[in-house]
């Protein structure tokens, strides 16, 4: 039995990320998503908005139809 997976090259938060530390965040997304680990990738609030910085994903968990990302914000280009 298979399942669907989406491959992503950037993080889109939809304002749902939870701050865990100074630069550490957790984001839970519905469905299964595949992201590059240990590489700088763009992070943005919405698909149609420009990136506000870059992040490095340190851990990805798949469980119960959800993907949980743990990432570190490494640069911030805009706060808006």
């Amino acid at each position: 039995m298979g399942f669907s997976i989406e491959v992503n090259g950037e993080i889109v938060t939809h304002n749902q990320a939870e701050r865990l530390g100074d630069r550490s965040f957790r984001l839970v997304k519905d469905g299964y998503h595949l992201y590059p680990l240990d590489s700088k990738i763009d992070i943005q609030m919405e698909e149609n908005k420009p990136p506000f910085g870059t992040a490095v994903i340190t851990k990805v968990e798949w469980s119960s139809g959800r993907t949980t990302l743990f990432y570190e914000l490494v640069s911030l280009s805009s706060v808006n």
Side-chain angles (χ1 to χ4, degrees), residues 32-77:
Y32 295 111
H33 300 264
L34 184 62
Y35 289 89
L37 293 174
D38 302 324
S39 299
K40 289 183 183 178
I41 61 172
D42 287 338
I43 184 168
Q44 55 200 89
M45 292 283 199
E46 302 291 337
E47 290 91 352
N48 61 347
K49 295 194 177 184
F52 64 84
T54 58
V56 174
I57 297 172
T58 57
K59 183 178 179 180
V60 176
E61 295 178 344
W62 292 340
S63 178
S64 302
R66 290 183 161 171
T67 301
T68 303
L69 301 176
F70 295 87
Y71 64 90
E72 298 283 328
L73 187 63
V74 294
S75 71
L76 189 61
S77 55

